[in-house]
Amino acid sequence: MKRNSRLSLALHTLSHMAHAPDSLRKSADIAAHAGTNPVVVRRVLGNLRQAGLLVSEAGHSGGWRLARPPQEITLADVYLALDERLAAPQIDDTAHGCSVEHALYDRVSKVMAEVEQTLIQKLSETTILEIRDSAD
Amino acid sequence: MKRNSRLSLALHTLSHMAHAPDSLRKSADIAAHAGTNPVVVRRVLGNLRQAGLLVSEAGHSGGWRLARPPQEITLADVYLALDERLAAPQIDDTAHGCSVEHALYDRVSKVMAEVEQTLIQKLSETTILEIRDSAD
DNA sequence: ACTCCCGTAACTAGAGAAGTTACGCGATTC
DNA sequence: GAATCGCGTAACTTCTCTAGTTACGGGAGT
């Protein structure tokens, strides 16, 4: 039970899918490999589906599949799909009109926004295909 | 009860101290201003003391004071003093010898380390004196 | 001596995330 | 067309982390 395991799970799963982009995978199998629960997998992969990275098929012999070629999916796509902003603005609700608080918030928010952009930029330089290849 | 309020508290308090670097402040007063508890204040400021940013004096009429001039204390100093690495390596203990897991970890760790350095660099460009001045 | 404030330990409380159970829906399979 | 199987989701539980709280010892002024 660890924080940010959602991103780990998502990246891990997609990187594996890059091996055989056309095969369907069941949430139960993915969960077993990742050491977690099928419902957790469906929750996380559901976000990736909304972002257009994955498609899921219902019914007998359903499952998950990449929505586009693995060389067109970057780590940044996955990060953004999960909507976990690393550089949250750290807003303080106890800002009782304190001018120092506002000055700090302005400055730190600006720095965080820049850092967030740096992170996304760096993550966008690697595709899940490259992760797959470097693992072989 | 919010995550990372420690950094907010630390920055807020030090920025206020930049107004009058020589006056002693009691943890109870600081806590009242920040809307928290004296013990919490002592815990957080204790980290800053260990990092050499603050000194505390015990006994009657004791309290807290900046250890050096406010123009020599940057936001990065405060961030580092609290030892809250924003870009934690996201290690996954369920790495059961999966090569994809390792490849991912290597790549993401590298990116995170670079982002962490970017953050520290940007934070080091602002001193608490500048925060104080921009608040006036 | 008395008082005040820091330093710390120990405990409580609450939020947040993952894990779990349960069930409906749709599609495939027979 | 009935059974099966997998996704989609809701509701609940469990675990962990952090802040908040209480309590008390020790040192430094008054």
Side-chain angles (χ1 to χ4, degrees):
Chain A
M1 195 170 301
K2 185 167 21 60
R3 194 160 284 110
N4 255 23
S5 63
R6 291 170 67 239
L7 182 58
S8 296
L9 173 59
L11 289 171
H12 187 179
T13 302
L14 261 67
S15 297
H16 271 293
M17 285 181 165
H19 275 96
D22 293 330
S23 68
L24 277 175
R25 289 160 203 261
K26 294 182 288 187
S27 61
D29 294 342
I30 296 169
H33 178 74
T36 182
N37 192 284
V39 176
V40 174
V41 171
R42 290 198 288 262
R43 277 205 285 247
V44 172
L45 298 195
N47 289 328
L48 305 185
R49 179 169 41 80
Q50 289 182 328
L53 305 180
L54 287 178
V55 290
S56 61
E57 294 175 19
H60 195 115
S61 77
W64 301 83
R65 192 200 318 262
L66 295 182
R68 54 179 197 248
Q71 63 268 27
E72 293 178 16
I73 298 179
T74 72
L75 303 190
D77 292 327
V78 181
Y79 172 73
L80 291 171
L82 291 186
D83 214 43
E84 291 181 343
R85 289 303 169 272
L86 185 57
Q90 312 228 34
I91 189 153
D92 196 338
D93 3 303
T94 64
H96 45 291
C98 171
S99 65
V100 165
E101 190 72 42
H102 288 124
L104 254 177
Y105 177 73
D106 289 345
R107 183 76 200 120
V108 173
S109 294
K110 188 148 176 277
V111 169
M112 287 306 200
E114 291 169 354
V115 169
E116 172 87 7
Q117 285 308 307
T118 300
L119 172 60
I120 292 170
Q121 164 61 29
K122 289 186 181 300
L123 288 178
S124 71
E125 293 170 2
T126 305
T127 68
I128 59 172
L129 186 68
E130 289 166 345
I131 294 293
R132 184 204 76 174
D133 290 341
S134 68
D136 291 335
Chain B
M1 192 170 301
K2 186 167 21 60
R3 194 159 284 110
N4 255 23
S5 63
R6 290 170 68 239
L7 182 58
S8 295
L9 173 60
L11 289 171
H12 187 178
T13 302
L14 261 66
S15 298
H16 272 293
M17 283 180 165
H19 275 98
D22 293 332
S23 68
L24 277 175
R25 290 161 203 260
K26 295 181 289 189
S27 61
D29 294 341
I30 295 168
H33 178 74
T36 182
N37 191 284
V39 176
V40 174
V41 170
R42 291 199 287 262
R43 275 204 287 245
V44 172
L45 298 195
N47 288 329
L48 305 184
R49 178 169 42 80
Q50 288 183 326
L53 304 180
L54 288 178
V55 290
S56 62
E57 295 177 18
H60 195 116
S61 76
W64 300 83
R65 192 198 320 262
L66 293 182
R68 56 178 195 250
Q71 63 269 27
E72 294 177 15
I73 297 178
T74 72
L75 304 190
D77 292 327
V78 181
Y79 172 73
L80 290 171
L82 291 186
D83 214 44
E84 292 181 343
R85 290 302 170 270
L86 183 58
Q90 312 229 33
I91 190 153
D92 196 338
D93 2 302
T94 64
H96 44 290
C98 170
S99 65
V100 166
E101 190 72 42
H102 287 125
L104 254 177
Y105 177 73
D106 289 346
R107 183 75 200 122
V108 172
S109 295
K110 188 149 177 275
V111 168
M112 287 306 200
E114 291 169 355
V115 169
E116 172 89 7
Q117 285 309 307
T118 301
L119 171 61
I120 292 169
Q121 165 60 31
K122 289 187 180 297
L123 288 178
S124 72
E125 293 171 1
T126 305
T127 68
I128 60 172
L129 186 67
E130 290 167 343
I131 294 291
R132 186 205 75 174
D133 290 340
S134 67
D136 290 336

